Amino acid sequence: MVIPVHDVNPARRTPWVTYALIAANFVAFVFLTPGVAGSLTGSGGSLAEFCHLQAFLDQYAAVPRELIHHQLPRLVPTGGTGVGPQGPGCLVGPPGYDKSPELSVLTAMFLHGGWLHLLGNMLFLWIFGNNIEDRMGRLRYLLFYLVCGYAAAYGFALTNPNTTTPLIGASGAIAGVLGAYLVLYPKARVWVLVPFLIFLPLRLPAWIVLGLWFLLQAAYSAGAGVTGAGTVAYAAHLVGFVVGMLIAWPLKPGTPPPPEPGGVLFGRQTRRDW
């Protein structure tokens, strides 16, 4: 997997919505999510922190079974701890809240399972979101972002209707941004780091970078090359990406091309006819 760090495609206006989305994700992670130092598996934190996190996710994350069947489970984590026949664990009880499965998709888009999850998503949104916001306009871009996030969550839920594992993260919405970027700016150059003994910097067309990303998500969704793939909703990434492409397609004819890059790459002039 290549790591994008910058695209050669300046925006005409300040992407305030993209900045606001990034800020909202950081605020939700740092100030609202319990046990940010821990993880979804409970490693790196106490049992009490883990149980508190589980109760938080059950209330605010999107659960595929709830989205499809529109009913809450009879018993959910309460956030407390106890000792049972099999040792210490999280207490469960009837839900003390009235959860809307539809609204949970929105709240889940601003929750993340750890720093790597958050920073990876925000890096892609930072690099590619500004140009999509610039092309669509602020309000339409925000609606586009939310539609892609909802489509990704419900698309995954339809293929996994009985799954009770909470869905969290902005990946589905950001996948829509990547799909739109591939349609609108396929020839824009993107600086990437390629892990080959060392991190090798290269400047590649967006269609290679984003096409490779999509193919990897498809392979991971099929279970190829990954262990424990069930912990990541790769199918949601695919749905968000395709929906983003479809929504952006009508905008392609009026989209100005990215600027032709110049400069020096590895001691020689870069080619303009890539």
Side-chain angles (χ1 to χ4, degrees), residues 122-140:
M122 295 305 102
L123 174 64
F124 276 82
L125 184 57
W126 173 271
I127 294 173
F128 300 106
N130 62 335
N131 294 108
I132 305 306
E133 178 179 348
D134 189 39
R135 180 65 183 90
M136 292 185 173
R138 295 190 176 102
L139 180 57
R140 286 199 297 175

Side-chain angles (χ1 to χ4, degrees), residues 29-52:
F29 182 73
V30 175
F31 297 106
L32 301 180
T33 307
V36 293
S39 70
L40 295 181
T41 60
S43 59
S46 67
L47 177 61
E49 291 174 336
F50 175 68
C51 293
H52 190 195

Side-chain angles (χ1 to χ4, degrees), residues 4-11 127-132 177-178 180-192 202-211 252 255-262 271-274:
V5 293
H6 177 63
D7 67 330
V8 187
N9 191 9
I127 294 173
F128 300 106
N130 62 335
N131 294 108
I132 305 306
V177 172
L178 303 186
Y181 197 100
L182 177 61
V183 167
L184 299 177
Y185 305 105
K187 296 182 180 180
R189 269 55 167 193
V190 181
W191 279 103
V192 300
L202 292 176
R203 188 168 65 188
L204 302 175
W207 67 267
I208 291 181
V209 177
L210 300 179
K252 184 174 176 60
T255 302
E260 285 290 333
R271 294 179 59 186
R272 294 179 178 269
D273 58 349
W274 181 286

Side-chain angles (χ1 to χ4, degrees), residues 34 39-42 47-61 76-80 90-91 97 164-166:
S39 70
L40 295 181
T41 60
L47 177 61
E49 291 174 336
F50 175 68
C51 293
H52 190 195
L53 177 61
Q54 290 300 305
F56 176 83
L57 293 179
D58 266 51
Q59 182 173 358
Y60 294 106
V76 297
T78 64
C90 300
L91 295 177
Y97 49 83
T164 57
T165 302

